[in-house]
Amino acid sequence: FGSSHFGSRKPTQVPSTPQSSFAAAMDQTEKAYQKQDAVFIGSKRLLGKKSSKRSMRYWRNVGLSFTTPKEAKEGNFVDKKCPFTGNVSIRGKILKGMVISTKMKRTIIIRRNYLHYIKKFNRFEKRHSNMAAHCSPAFEPKEGDIVTVGQCRPLSKTVRFNVLKVEKNQIFGNPRKVFMLF
């Protein structure tokens, strides 16, 4: 087994490229280079032309009277599944629910409470269903917040909805135990 050189490996330095000036514009937290698909960053700059300090950023209005968050317009994140800055269209159902888990990366679990009628006893029973939804880095929901989600194409095995709006909510205690209808 001779001398092993695996443990003494030094991190490689990324060479300075013309794109490195744009790298500061987008958050580079992944191994792959992060850029927005809709923005071309390899354009040649003219010598006499003054380059603008503000980097080009793609964002859009999703429609249905939902406002685009300020963080989506001015932020540095790259999220291809974001309805405001990515390649996802909102169509179909618009639902509301309470956030009960934010442990996943860019995905939250929302709880939807409803009442089910029992004909025999002429009464209602409480029921709930959990749903996974993609949450753009433009939002920072906490557990107990009320979110509005819109249906989109399947983003993963369980995710078919995208967060469009977050309403701050003061819930004391465990949000799973509180039964609220929206």
Side-chain angles (χ1 to χ4, degrees):
F1 286 100
S3 64
S4 175
H5 66 278
F6 293 114
S8 64
R9 209 166 158 191
K10 293 182 182 134
T12 57
Q13 296 240 336
V14 178
S16 178
T17 62
Q19 294 178 346
S20 64
S21 63
F22 290 102
M26 297 296 164
D27 291 337
Q28 300 297 328
T29 56
E30 307 293 330
K31 288 184 178 178
Y33 181 73
Q34 299 294 304
K35 67 179 182 64
Q36 287 186 308
D37 288 336
V39 178
F40 180 62
I41 60 172
S43 61
K44 302 283 188 274
R45 288 179 296 241
L46 298 173
L47 292 173
K49 190 177 175 187
K50 195 85 161 165
S51 65
S52 63
K53 288 281 184 191
R54 207 171 130 257
S55 64
M56 291 173 50
R57 180 160 179 82
Y58 171 76
W59 60 272
R60 65 185 174 142
N61 184 3
V62 296
L64 302 169
S65 71
F66 287 103
T67 57
T68 304
K70 186 176 171 222
E71 180 63 28
K73 297 177 186 177
E74 301 170 3
N76 291 331
F77 67 90
V78 177
D79 185 12
K80 66 179 185 178
K81 296 178 181 179
C82 172
F84 305 104
T85 63
N87 185 22
V88 175
S89 61
I90 301 298
R91 78 283 190 283
K93 295 183 178 181
I94 305 291
L95 305 173
K96 272 188 163 186
M98 182 188 300
V99 179
I100 60 169
S101 174
T102 57
K103 295 175 183 172
M104 287 183 277
K105 183 178 178 183
R106 295 186 180 179
T107 305
I108 61 171
I109 301 294
I110 65 171
R111 177 184 173 115
R112 303 195 62 238
N113 298 317
Y114 60 95
L115 295 172
H116 179 246
Y117 182 66
I118 307 295
K119 190 162 59 172
K120 178 182 177 183
F121 298 113
N122 195 22
R123 279 164 173 74
F124 293 92
E125 67 180 2
K126 295 176 186 175
R127 288 191 177 182
H128 81 274
S129 61
N130 288 347
M131 176 187 302
H134 182 269
C135 185
S136 167
F139 300 111
E140 290 183 4
K142 306 273 189 290
E143 289 187 10
D145 289 351
I146 306 298
V147 295
T148 304
V149 295
Q151 190 178 4
C152 58
R153 63 179 167 81
L155 302 177
S156 70
K157 181 183 173 185
T158 57
V159 177
R160 277 103 177 91
F161 285 84
N162 228 313
V163 173
L164 298 174
K165 189 167 71 171
V166 176
E167 300 164 19
K168 298 297 177 198
N169 198 5
Q170 295 295 326
I171 292 211
F172 301 106
N174 190 352
R176 293 172 197 259
K177 301 288 184 191
V178 180
F179 188 87
M180 286 177 59
L181 294 174
F182 313 110

